[in-house]
Amino acid sequence: MRLRLKIWHRRQRFAIRQFPVLNQLYRLAVGVVGAIMMLAGLVMIPLPIPGPGWVTLFLGLAVLSTEFAWAHRVTSFIRSQLHRASALSQHVMARTRAVLREHHAYHRQTMLAHARSAYQQFSPLPLPA
């Protein structure tokens, strides 16, 4: 479905590019819609509810990147940085889990040893085997 939509859009875009005035109007409309979305996103960012401001801002940038090279470069840069941050986050979480497993095992053994010594010290009965 996505491929069909992409092919349809490219055909439509090719047809529009054949007429310079129509092409300029189309680019102007995309620019206006993208700019409005980005401005709306900037206005919504400080709202107390999380999410819609940033989402709207990035959607506006995505709309602009369909027609403007500078917006496409910005979008590509943001995507690459998000992929890098995701990989770093996964690495940090894996390392944190490993360290926590090691500490948990160490503390469990230490607590068992302390409990065993306290039981031997204060219990009149012999320690079960």
Side-chain angles (χ1 to χ4, degrees):
M1 179 66 184
R2 184 172 180 221
L3 182 61
R4 287 181 189 167
L5 183 64
K6 197 174 197 178
I7 292 171
W8 176 84
H9 180 260
R10 285 187 180 170
R11 285 182 182 161
Q12 297 302 316
R13 215 32 215 113
F14 180 76
I16 290 172
R17 281 193 188 108
Q18 302 306 310
F19 303 98
V21 174
L22 191 58
N23 186 36
Q24 289 300 320
L25 287 175
Y26 180 81
R27 287 176 59 90
L28 179 68
V30 168
V32 168
V33 169
I36 289 172
M37 288 178 72
M38 285 186 67
L39 289 174
L42 285 173
V43 169
M44 287 191 284
I45 286 174
L47 291 178
I49 54 174
W54 288 106
V55 170
T56 307
L57 178 80
F58 291 130
L59 283 175
L61 189 60
V63 167
L64 288 174
S65 72
T66 62
E67 285 300 313
F68 302 102
W70 64 267
H72 183 71
R73 285 192 303 272
V74 170
T75 306
S76 299
F77 175 75
I78 291 172
R79 287 186 65 182
S80 68
Q81 294 302 312
L82 286 174
H83 286 295
R84 286 182 60 201
S86 173
L88 178 65
S89 173
Q90 288 175 358
H91 174 72
V92 168
M93 288 301 295
R95 182 69 184 132
T96 304
R97 285 189 195 106
V99 168
L100 288 176
R101 272 195 302 271
E102 292 170 10
H103 284 295
H104 178 70
Y106 170 75
H107 288 295
R108 186 178 60 226
Q109 290 173 351
T110 305
M111 289 183 66
L112 287 174
H114 285 297
R116 192 175 302 265
S117 68
Y119 182 78
Q120 287 174 349
Q121 188 176 12
F122 297 112
S123 176
L125 301 173
L127 188 64

